[in-house]
Amino acid sequence: ILERIEQAGIKFPIVIKPSKEGSSLGISILKNKNGLKEALHDAAYLYRQKPHPIIIEEKIEGMEFTCIIITDPITGEPIPLPPTEVVAEEGSHFFDYDQKYMPGRAHKFTPARCSDEHIKLIQQTCIKAMNTLEISNLSRIDGFLMQDGTISIIDPNTISGMGPSFFLFRQAAEINMSHTQLINHLIETELHRYKMTTTLDAKRKNQE
């Protein structure tokens, strides 16, 4: 495996993770080859009854972000929300499971603390990723703003967490959408996509 890492041009530090898992489960970050065997075992046997294939990749350095894209229900045009910058807790190597789901863990800044130009670049890149992967209506795209100003996408998602303090509602609040307005927007978008808006359109017409 060390030979294959070298042949692929992957340099330490590296990230080792299960290929079919989420929420940062089973991830290890190694600065050198020490601990490689244990990290491979942890990723492959996260669930002992079902061994996972493993991904080994070079660790990316930069500003970590997550950006959510919603869709205009009438035009179908993507609406990128202001991205959130994620800063892992001091002493940790990455935004791990506990920091993602336990209240008050890690630091999250919405909008991200970068220039307006970089905000727009993040949003445009996330829209391209969403379109390339043919994700419809809603996506949450995670990535890094690199030190050279380029964007690296690491984790495209077809849905976002719906907890009251999760990224979806944080970012929507930045464009003055309440929880209720956002949920109604997502429902309306789905109804339009599946051509189920006859009743909704009739109700609007009566109100007018």
Side-chain angles (χ1 to χ4, degrees), residues 88-89 92 94-101 105-106 108:
E89 293 176 342
S92 64
F94 64 99
F95 188 39
D96 60 24
Y97 182 90
D98 288 341
Q99 293 178 62
K100 286 182 176 180
Y101 297 108
R105 302 291 299 271
K108 308 167 185 78

Side-chain angles (χ1 to χ4, degrees), residues 13 31 84-85 102 158-159 166 178 197 204:
K31 294 182 178 180
T84 299
E85 174 189 356
M102 296 297 290
T158 58
I159 196 167
F166 280 21
S178 68
T197 59
R204 280 179 172 167

Side-chain angles (χ1 to χ4, degrees), residues 6-7 19 22 45 52 67 73 78 92 100 111 116 130 139 147 150 154 159 163 167:
E6 185 175 350
Q7 290 168 3
S19 68
Y45 294 98
H52 275 278
C67 183
S92 64
K100 286 182 176 180
D116 290 343
M130 180 178 180
S139 68
Q147 294 179 354
T150 58
I154 62 165
I159 196 167
F167 294 122

Side-chain angles (χ1 to χ4, degrees), residues 169-188:
F169 296 109
R170 285 172 175 260
Q171 296 182 17
E174 292 293 319
I175 61 169
N176 298 318
M177 289 185 77
S178 68
H179 284 46
T180 300
Q181 289 171 327
L182 177 60
I183 294 298
N184 287 340
H185 179 98
L186 296 177
I187 293 170
E188 184 177 351

Side-chain angles (χ1 to χ4, degrees), residues 67-157:
C67 183
I68 292 170
I69 314 294
I70 58 177
T71 303
D72 186 300
I74 307 301
T75 67
E77 291 297 313
I79 303 172
L81 302 182
T84 299
E85 174 189 356
V86 178
V87 181
E89 293 176 342
E90 186 175 353
S92 64
H93 297 297
F94 64 99
F95 188 39
D96 60 24
Y97 182 90
D98 288 341
Q99 293 178 62
K100 286 182 176 180
Y101 297 108
M102 296 297 290
R105 302 291 299 271
H107 297 287
K108 308 167 185 78
F109 300 93
T110 309
R113 300 175 299 173
C114 57
S115 68
D116 290 343
E117 289 76 14
H118 282 140
I119 292 283
K120 290 179 181 177
L121 179 61
I122 289 170
Q123 292 174 324
Q124 291 167 356
T125 305
C126 290
I127 289 173
K128 288 180 181 178
M130 180 178 180
N131 291 338
T132 299
L133 296 170
E134 299 182 351
I135 301 173
S136 62
N137 298 352
L138 172 69
S139 68
R140 196 198 83 225
I141 310 293
D142 301 338
F144 284 85
L145 172 63
M146 314 284 275
Q147 294 179 354
D148 63 1
T150 58
I151 304 294
S152 179
I153 299 298
I154 62 165
D155 188 14
N157 299 270

Side-chain angles (χ1 to χ4, degrees), residues 6-58:
E6 185 175 350
Q7 290 168 3
I10 297 173
K11 296 180 174 59
F12 286 91
I14 61 173
V15 180
I16 298 174
K17 59 186 179 182
S19 68
K20 297 180 180 180
E21 193 48 74
S23 299
S24 298
L25 294 171
I27 289 182
S28 297
I29 296 179
L30 300 181
K31 294 182 178 180
N32 51 54
K33 66 180 182 180
N34 295 334
L36 178 61
K37 182 178 179 180
E38 292 80 2
L40 293 170
H41 185 276
D42 290 345
Y45 294 98
L46 180 61
Y47 305 110
R48 292 188 178 278
Q49 69 276 18
K50 187 180 180 182
H52 275 278
I54 298 169
I55 293 175
I56 300 175
E57 57 191 8
E58 198 165 314

